[in-house]
Amino acid sequence: RKEVEQDPGPFNVPEGATVAFNCTYSNSASQSFFWYRQDCRKEPKLLMSVYSSGNEDGRFTAQLNRASQYISLLIRDSKLSDSATYLCVVKYSGAGSYQLTFGKGTKLSVIP
Amino acid sequence: DADVTQTPRNRITKTGKRIMLECSQTKGHDRMYWYRQDPGLGLRLIYYSFDVKDINKGEISDGYSVSRQAQAKFSLSLESAIPNQTALYFCATSDLLGGGKETQYFGPGTRLLVL
């Protein structure tokens, strides 16, 4: 059962490029959405939450489309330090139920 | 100093052995979680606890048990380890802010190899 699906990657892009990652989710009752970043052999860390109206944090822009059950992450002016795996995360929480589902991740390599 | 610590960081064990992975946090969060990560499968939730008296099964709890000894401590046990439990295990804590916003803070992970 694939509840959260991401672009398979890997994405190999030159420095300065713009790159976009997509993610779809199957539970229409999902309430909250996030992008996490995971460096090789390290723990995941929150990159940004995704808000309904879309949100931006420096070079990073996240978008949510509830009707299409689709989330995106745009990275502008890619840096070498952006090389990592990006995890799409979807949360559902209700009476007696809690689901935090991670996508398998998309690997990004930024090349000099 | 790390806010979420895990011990051991690496462990090799044999099939049938009982092992315990420990997690401690200094963030003061009520919520704690255990995940495993496998190549090609992503992170999967094993157990979670929203406070000291609350324990819940996650997606893949079979073969695992947990104990929440205190707000700051959450341990994961493999009663009888098997090779397909070889994985990278992460402990996490979270805060719950308004509007459903929740940040997971992960420990550094424990690499477990079951022979």
Side-chain angles (χ1 to χ4, degrees), chain A residues 32 36 38 43 91 98 100 104, chain B residues 37 40 100 102-104 107:
Chain A
S32 305
Y36 277 72
Q38 186 173 22
E43 70 273 24
K91 175 184 167 184
Y98 176 88
L100 191 69
K104 297 178 183 179
Chain B
Q37 187 172 37
E102 180 176 353
T103 300
Q104 298 253 322

Side-chain angles (χ1 to χ4, degrees), chain A residues 1 31-32 34 36 38 40-46 49 51 87 91 93 96-105, chain B residues 31 33 35 37 40-43 45 48 50 59 88 90 94 96 99-109 111:
Chain A
R1 183 177 64 177
Q31 300 148 321
S32 305
F34 313 88
Y36 277 72
Q38 186 173 22
C40 187
R41 302 176 73 85
K42 298 284 189 179
E43 70 273 24
K45 293 183 179 179
L46 180 68
S49 301
Y51 303 133
L87 307 175
K91 175 184 167 184
S93 179
S97 178
Y98 176 88
Q99 281 185 336
L100 191 69
T101 306
F102 286 74
K104 297 178 183 179
Chain B
R31 297 183 169 206
Y33 310 79
Y35 295 89
Q37 187 172 37
L41 292 178
L43 277 155
L45 184 62
Y48 62 99
F50 283 174
E59 181 185 353
L88 177 58
F90 286 107
S94 72
L96 184 61
K101 299 179 181 61
E102 180 176 353
T103 300
Q104 298 253 322
Y105 299 89
F106 286 84
R111 292 191 177 277

Side-chain angles (χ1 to χ4, degrees), chain A residues 31-98:
Chain A
Q31 300 148 321
S32 305
F33 310 89
F34 313 88
W35 284 100
Y36 277 72
R37 169 192 169 130
Q38 186 173 22
D39 293 296
C40 187
R41 302 176 73 85
K42 298 284 189 179
E43 70 273 24
K45 293 183 179 179
L46 180 68
L47 177 66
M48 60 196 302
S49 301
V50 186
Y51 303 133
S52 296
S53 55
N55 48 298
E56 187 174 306
D57 182 1
R59 297 181 293 108
F60 300 85
T61 300
Q63 296 280 350
L64 168 64
N65 184 322
R66 286 188 183 270
S68 301
Q69 295 177 206
Y70 170 96
I71 307 157
S72 66
L73 177 68
L74 183 76
I75 305 175
R76 292 181 299 277
D77 189 22
S78 298
K79 312 292 185 188
L80 296 176
S81 58
D82 293 333
S83 297
T85 296
Y86 291 83
L87 307 175
C88 173
V89 183
V90 174
K91 175 184 167 184
Y92 169 78
S93 179
S97 178
Y98 176 88

Side-chain angles (χ1 to χ4, degrees), chain B residues 80-95:
Chain B
S80 179
I82 56 177
N84 77 1
Q85 290 179 311
T86 293
L88 177 58
Y89 289 84
F90 286 107
C91 173
T93 74
S94 72
D95 51 2

Side-chain angles (χ1 to χ4, degrees), chain B residues 4-53:
Chain B
V4 184
T5 57
Q6 293 182 232
T7 55
R9 294 294 312 278
N10 295 279
R11 177 75 183 269
I12 300 173
T13 192
K14 295 182 179 179
T15 296
K17 294 291 187 181
R18 181 181 188 276
I19 66 165
M20 179 182 289
L21 309 183
E22 302 201 28
C23 177
S24 294
Q25 54 117 344
T26 59
K27 299 190 76 66
H29 292 161
D30 287 327
R31 297 183 169 206
M32 298 189 73
Y33 310 79
W34 274 103
Y35 295 89
R36 64 177 281 177
Q37 187 172 37
D38 300 89
L41 292 178
L43 277 155
R44 292 180 292 168
L45 184 62
I46 305 171
Y47 270 96
Y48 62 99
S49 170
F50 283 174
D51 66 42
V52 175
K53 297 180 181 179

Side-chain angles (χ1 to χ4, degrees), chain B residues 50-98:
Chain B
F50 283 174
D51 66 42
V52 175
K53 297 180 181 179
D54 176 73
I55 300 289
N56 303 282
K57 293 182 177 180
E59 181 185 353
I60 51 161
S61 58
D62 288 349
Y64 302 95
S65 63
V66 291
S67 175
R68 185 81 185 267
Q69 302 95 323
Q71 185 203 39
K73 296 185 182 295
F74 192 35
S75 60
L76 176 71
S77 294
L78 285 68
E79 297 301 326
S80 179
I82 56 177
N84 77 1
Q85 290 179 311
T86 293
L88 177 58
Y89 289 84
F90 286 107
C91 173
T93 74
S94 72
D95 51 2
L96 184 61
L97 307 175

